[in-house]
Amino acid sequence: MQIDVVRQKYQTAIDGLSKNIWAVHGYAPPVLVEGSVYPGIWLECGPLEGLIYGQRCTDRAHEVARANHDVFFARQRADGYFPCYIWKETTGYSQIQMVVPIAATALETADLLGDEAFLARAYAACSRWDNWLSTHRNTRGTGLCEAFCEADTGHDNSPRFKGLPFLCPNDDAAICPDAGGLPYLAPDLSASVYGGRVALAKMADRLNKPAEARQWQDKADHIRQAIIKHCFDPEDECFYDVDRDGRFNKLRADAITRVLGEHVVDQPTFDRIYARYIRNEQEFWTPYPLPSVSISDPKFIKELPRNSWGGAAQALTALRAPRWFIHYGRSDDLRHLMTQWVNACCASDMFAQQINPWTGEFIGKDGYSPAMLVFVDFVQRLGLLDPAPA
């Protein structure tokens, strides 16, 4: 790749991200929004995006990292529920929509800021959120976190939830629709709870609350064991949703990467899953990794429509990849993944939501913050611009 092209594209990404920083409903400090066709910030991705912006960019960087977490703390309901999204003029309550746990990114943000008061605020807010999830999303008594609707996991237009409601009834994330096999025992949502509890244990330890730290770690261990007990198919070596009749919803989709993203499995189990699925060119290791559904799964959507987690490789999945590739010792493969995404960005005239996993062609509309962050983060991790632009 030509360094002049990378440098120019890098500046375009920085400028685009700056344009996506503005105030949202009920919260005055500006936040980094999703951009493109998405008019606000979502719980599943906004905190991680703020953290990466804070680590990789300089203009208002730390303030944005703080605000992308604090906006959820400030808008948290008295019962502990975090809004699923906060747009420019409205706040959403119709799903949980979580992936990377906000407790985990808040802990890293506290370290970035060197702010113990922020850490204490995050600990209190994320503790209340965990309690809400335990109260309202464990209706089957397994200890796992349940999916009530398509939007819960952010898997828009995925065959995972085909024929099921997109939102919870009455815009209330505590109500499960009476449809299909719902509620699902969801391995990825449960992994997010697991990762959040691991982070809460570390927060409690930092805040000199050793008894609470032990309690959070015990809770984390419990849900980790439940994920493997209920949602792991040892024959397939894959994680699946389990419907209310105890049947696996067998779709080889990127939900497995979210389980790996929170380091739920040990190294030997990871190695088997990774070889069988992630690094397999007939599953997820396409020329531009990682598709949102295995290319060999019969439910893969070949048309690759916009905003579809049914096949296309998503910028959000790429943005989350360093969190688990590095943990499990796959830095060389991560370098390849990052290089391919950088190449795709350089060849395109826009930063959109998803790409064709074979050609790298972007699909969607320009101005998507996660795609711009993928480029900025990956260029710096690859050391392509030395020194990195200020």
Side-chain angles (χ1 to χ4, degrees):
M1 65 187 70
Q2 296 181 350
I3 295 303
D4 288 346
V5 174
V6 174
R7 191 176 299 277
Q8 182 179 9
K9 197 74 176 180
Y10 188 99
Q11 190 59 52
T12 300
I14 294 295
D15 294 343
L17 287 165
S18 295
K19 293 176 183 178
N20 282 350
I21 298 173
W22 30 268
V24 291
H25 185 238
Y27 187 75
V31 301
L32 175 64
V33 300
E34 201 73 356
S36 186
V37 299
Y38 302 101
I41 183 171
W42 273 257
L43 182 62
E44 76 160 287
C45 44
L48 176 65
E49 291 162 24
L51 171 62
I52 293 175
Y53 186 84
Q55 292 171 331
R56 299 301 185 190
C57 306
T58 56
D59 179 30
R60 296 177 286 180
H62 285 193
E63 292 80 2
V64 168
R66 183 196 306 275
N68 271 40
H69 291 80
D70 192 62
V71 64
F72 291 100
F73 303 157
R75 303 290 286 143
Q76 186 175 33
R77 289 192 320 214
D79 66 355
Y81 174 83
F82 279 142
C84 49
Y85 60 77
I86 306 168
W87 297 352
K88 197 166 187 176
E89 297 180 350
T90 189
T91 299
Y93 307 98
S94 55
Q95 68 259 28
I96 56 176
Q97 196 148 352
M98 61 179 188
V99 181
V100 178
I102 187 173
T105 56
L107 177 58
E108 291 187 54
T109 299
D111 290 339
L112 178 70
L113 301 174
D115 188 340
E116 292 300 300
F118 174 84
L119 179 69
R121 179 169 166 79
Y123 177 72
C126 295
S127 297
R128 292 194 296 271
W129 172 234
D130 184 274
N131 183 66
W132 187 94
L133 291 168
S134 298
T135 301
H136 298 284
R137 289 304 185 98
N138 180 31
T139 64
R140 294 166 58 179
T142 63
L144 295 174
C145 185
E146 297 162 354
F148 285 6
C149 63
E150 180 177 319
D152 272 343
T153 65
H155 278 129
D156 292 12
N157 303 305
S158 168
R160 178 180 184 182
F161 294 100
K162 185 176 181 179
L164 296 175
F166 184 70
L167 303 174
C168 292
N170 304 325
D171 286 337
D172 186 344
I175 302 175
C176 183
D178 184 12
L182 297 174
Y184 284 170
L185 305 181
D188 51 342
L189 294 178
S190 300
S192 182
V193 173
Y194 167 74
R197 290 174 177 175
V198 170
L200 284 165
K202 294 177 181 177
M203 287 182 181
D205 188 60
R206 286 264 296 274
L207 294 168
N208 197 28
K209 300 175 183 286
E212 292 183 24
R214 288 192 295 272
Q215 290 172 356
W216 283 119
Q217 190 58 56
D218 288 344
K219 288 182 178 181
D221 293 341
H222 176 77
I223 197 169
R224 177 185 174 275
Q225 293 167 10
I227 294 169
I228 295 170
K229 175 183 177 181
H230 293 285
C231 297
F232 184 65
D233 182 339
E235 182 176 346
D236 289 0
E237 293 183 311
C238 196
F239 289 91
Y240 301 119
D241 295 318
V242 182
D243 70 15
R244 65 185 176 195
D245 295 318
R247 296 173 300 206
F248 283 131
N249 177 25
K250 290 200 171 187
L251 176 73
R252 299 192 304 280
D254 85 302
I256 193 173
T257 71
R258 301 178 180 188
V259 175
L260 301 178
E262 298 312 312
H263 317 152
V264 169
V265 302
D266 59 22
Q267 189 69 46
T269 305
F270 171 85
D271 291 341
R272 294 193 301 273
I273 293 172
Y274 189 81
R276 186 167 177 176
Y277 296 111
I278 306 301
R279 195 57 177 80
N280 186 339
E281 295 179 359
Q282 300 305 313
E283 298 279 355
F284 290 97
W285 204 248
T286 50
Y288 294 85
L290 301 157
S292 45
V293 170
S294 162
I295 60 173
S296 292
D297 193 291
K299 295 179 182 178
F300 180 92
I301 301 174
K302 298 177 181 178
E303 294 78 10
L304 303 177
R306 290 184 179 184
N307 185 31
S308 172
W309 288 78
Q314 298 283 339
L316 279 172
T317 303
L319 192 65
R320 298 161 183 155
R323 300 185 69 249
W324 55 281
F325 272 73
I326 294 171
H327 175 84
Y328 286 113
R330 292 300 190 275
S331 295
D332 288 345
D333 285 344
L334 175 63
R335 185 175 186 86
H336 171 77
L337 181 152
M338 293 191 297
T339 300
Q340 290 300 88
W341 274 86
V342 168
N343 286 336
C345 291
C346 286
S348 178
D349 60 357
M350 63 179 176
F351 288 104
Q353 177 178 345
Q354 57 193 37
I355 62 175
N356 183 309
W358 289 284
T359 68
E361 178 184 2
F362 271 92
I363 303 164
K365 292 188 176 181
D366 193 22
Y368 188 59
S369 291
M372 292 185 277
L373 287 169
V374 161
F375 190 76
V376 169
D377 187 40
F378 288 5
V379 163
Q380 292 198 25
R381 287 179 183 272
L382 291 167
L384 295 177
L385 299 180
D386 189 19

